[in-house]
Amino acid sequence: MAYLGMDLNRFILEEERKHPDATGSLSMALTAIETAAKIIAAHVRMAGLADILGQAGKTNIQGEEVQKLDEFSNEVMIKHLSDSGQFFALASEELDEPLCSPKGVNGKYVIAFDPLDGSSNIDVNVNIGTIFSIHRRVKGTEEDFLQEGYKQVAAGYIIYGSSTMFVLTTGNGVNGFTLDPSVGLFLLSHPNMKIPEKGKIYSINEANSKKWIDSELTDYIQTLKDEGYTSRYIGSMVADVHRTLIKGGMFGYPADKKNRSGKLRLLYEAAPMAFIIEQAGGKATDGRTDILQIKPTDIHQRTPVFLGSKKEINQLIEFIK
Ligand code: P6P
């Protein structure tokens, strides 16, 4: 077999070796996420055939119930994370309350995740993704989910698109791995990812501008337009953040009169993406406070989010002050 280079499994083990006191627990935790991601990726690829296989929520040609992809993804994540035994508790966008897995009774970590963010885009074949955030177990209660983002042990996302990419940080930079389905390995395709100091793209749903609580944002966006920026907005956070990480610029979802705390969730959307962006040399804020400094009070709380290159985010903060 041709030399494939570094893959995610070997990368995780080599990272573990850098920490003499490591027990292998985080490695097993990340490997469980990797396995779940491969299964979800295989099913996302089949989503386009739902009409032939049977629309999600209906029965397929074998008369079987076809699960909605976000429900399926949630079940796959719960099964693999629980079976790993590394997580004391799991919090999911799809669950009202956290789950404690019997096998995780001695787990060193808790994990919050969005199993399939942007799932409303599936039927138009737009990129979607899984987002996760891992914290240490401290008290062994639900409060362990309510730690500030800067305390995350690891965070990442898997984007299901023209290729499937796993983007990961364990607090020591950001690395991107692309799935080679022919061998079933995530290969290191984007080592040591760094966001450009500035970009040429702004990403925000301008249709909401009349409802934005911070009306100064309209002047900020106009300034970017005057500086020659272009607009790109996919409406799938993982895709918009991934492009921002690679190309630079800014992505934002402000608070508005409909979503007065913003639409995106702090624990399993804003905080993990903020950790990734800051580890890649960018910045993430709610407009007034760094996302990673916000102390959560509720597992499903929402927050305004602005993240991206330092130039654009520092410029935004000056407008909102
Ligand atoms: P809007 C997808 O539904 C999602 O949760 C994020 O992935 C995305 O960034 C946002 O909502 C898009 O929201 O209101 O612009 O359609």
Side-chain angles (χ1 to χ4, degrees), residues 18 32 44 75 77 93 103 109 133 146 150 164 169 179 196 199 231 251 253 263 270 281 291 309 317 319 321:
K18 292 176 187 170
V44 166
E75 287 181 15
M77 286 289 280
E93 192 262 349
K103 285 190 181 176
Y109 301 107
S133 167
L146 306 180
Y150 73 86
T164 299
T169 184
L179 183 64
S231 168
F251 164 78
Y253 204 107
K263 176 181 182 183
I291 294 287
S309 301
I317 291 168
F319 270 85
K321 253 183 190 169

Side-chain angles (χ1 to χ4, degrees), residues 259-292:
N259 298 298
R260 299 196 73 83
S261 299
K263 176 181 182 183
L264 301 179
R265 310 284 187 171
L266 175 58
L267 256 63
Y268 41 80
E269 290 177 321
M273 291 306 203
F275 193 24
I276 291 266
I277 291 292
E278 299 228 348
Q279 281 286 313
K283 196 170 174 62
T285 177
D286 68 358
R288 291 168 178 80
T289 308
D290 285 359
I291 294 287
L292 296 183

Side-chain angles (χ1 to χ4, degrees), residues 84-295:
S84 77
Q86 307 311 313
F87 298 101
F88 166 70
L90 323 172
S92 167
E93 192 262 349
E94 297 282 336
L95 298 175
D96 290 341
E97 299 301 326
L99 265 185
C100 285
S101 62
K103 285 190 181 176
V105 66
N106 298 313
K108 287 173 63 178
Y109 301 107
V110 294
I111 185 167
F113 60 91
D114 187 346
L116 205 62
D117 180 74
S119 50
S120 56
N121 292 297
I122 291 170
D123 53 4
V124 292
N125 214 359
V126 161
N127 291 12
I128 50 185
T130 300
I131 313 170
F132 65 90
S133 167
I134 298 177
H135 276 287
R136 282 180 189 78
R137 170 189 181 159
V138 177
K139 298 180 179 169
T141 69
E142 196 170 306
E143 277 185 58
D144 290 346
F145 288 107
L146 306 180
Q147 299 179 65
E148 295 87 340
Y150 73 86
K151 294 179 181 172
Q152 290 176 88
V153 174
Y157 60 85
I158 299 93
I159 180 168
Y160 311 103
S162 51
S163 61
T164 299
M165 260 192 82
F166 195 123
V167 177
L168 170 69
T169 184
T170 56
N172 184 25
V174 179
N175 290 280
F177 302 81
T178 300
L179 183 64
D180 177 345
S182 68
V183 290
L185 290 174
F186 277 104
L187 302 179
L188 181 59
S189 53
H190 296 64
N192 193 24
M193 298 178 84
K194 291 295 177 196
I195 189 170
E197 279 297 312
K198 79 175 284 297
K200 301 188 181 72
I201 299 170
Y202 70 89
S203 183
I204 197 165
N205 189 342
E206 285 188 85
N208 298 330
S209 63
K210 294 282 184 233
K211 297 185 291 184
W212 290 340
I213 303 287
D214 289 309
S215 55
E216 304 86 347
L217 279 170
T218 307
D219 299 335
Y220 164 70
I221 295 296
Q222 187 56 53
T223 301
L224 296 183
K225 288 177 180 175
D226 296 343
E227 291 178 12
Y229 281 65
T230 190
S231 168
R232 289 285 184 278
Y233 189 76
I234 301 171
S236 178
M237 183 189 197
V238 175
D240 282 318
V241 172
H242 186 64
R243 183 205 52 251
T244 304
L245 172 60
I246 291 176
K247 299 273 190 187
M250 68 78 65
F251 164 78
Y253 204 107
D256 61 39
K257 294 185 178 84
K258 183 179 160 215
N259 298 298
R260 299 196 73 83
S261 299
K263 176 181 182 183
L264 301 179
R265 310 284 187 171
L266 175 58
L267 256 63
Y268 41 80
E269 290 177 321
M273 291 306 203
F275 193 24
I276 291 266
I277 291 292
E278 299 228 348
Q279 281 286 313
K283 196 170 174 62
T285 177
D286 68 358
R288 291 168 178 80
T289 308
D290 285 359
I291 294 287
L292 296 183
Q293 295 298 329
I294 299 174
K295 177 82 171 74

